[in-house]
Amino acid sequence: QVQLVESGGGLVQPGGSLRLSCTASGYNINYYTIGWFRRAPGKEREGLSCDSASVGDTYYTDSVKGRFTISRDNAKNTVYLQMDSLTPEDTAVYYCATTQDRCSRYLLSRELFGSWGQGTQVTVSA
């Protein structure tokens, strides 16, 4: 059974950091493009970043560029989203997703991903 599970969310103070994990079961995530998305209260889902490790393509939207970083642990079949300098505007449910297409701004904006995790809540508040 193909499954993605996010973890690592929680409550953090403004300026703090969190690292989200996305672990795959049923397939090798290392051969897939990973995307990270979020849905803030009252807003539409937003694509944040994608990564195609096999071809070295990585993309970040302007809202997270320089603050968020994708990384992979091949042995654990897990992809991470390191989030630094968090602000209350980053409060949202965060999702990971996979596709076999190549990472691009278009791919992210169209949410052309086939498998999705259930999401993990991130709350940034003092």
Side-chain angles (χ1 to χ4, degrees):
Q1 180 181 0
V2 174
Q3 189 176 17
L4 290 172
V5 177
E6 301 98 335
S7 61
L11 175 65
V12 62
Q13 293 186 341
S17 298
L18 278 177
R19 188 179 76 164
L20 305 183
S21 300
C22 174
T23 301
S25 59
Y27 66 105
N28 188 337
I29 200 172
N30 302 311
Y31 297 116
Y32 286 75
T33 292
I34 188 80
W36 283 98
F37 299 81
R38 69 185 177 190
R39 188 191 299 273
K43 295 185 178 180
E44 294 186 353
R45 188 164 59 193
E46 174 190 12
L48 305 176
S49 179
C50 61
D51 173 74
S52 297
S54 61
V55 294
D57 287 343
T58 305
Y59 173 81
Y60 298 93
T61 58
D62 288 344
S63 61
V64 303
K65 190 180 300 181
R67 300 190 299 125
F68 291 10
T69 305
I70 287 181
S71 63
R72 294 175 181 256
D73 186 330
N74 295 342
K76 294 183 178 180
N77 209 23
T78 297
V79 179
Y80 302 101
L81 183 68
Q82 176 67 39
M83 307 188 297
D84 300 319
S85 302
L86 288 164
T87 73
E89 288 68 38
D90 295 314
T91 295
V93 178
Y94 284 71
Y95 303 87
C96 64
T98 59
T99 179
Q100 290 185 294
D101 294 323
R102 190 165 175 170
C103 169
S104 69
R105 178 177 182 175
Y106 177 82
L107 186 79
L108 202 63
S109 67
R110 296 292 184 177
E111 300 188 355
L112 300 175
F113 290 75
S115 297
W116 292 79
Q118 83 291 346
T120 185
Q121 176 70 47
V122 171
T123 302
V124 185
S125 175

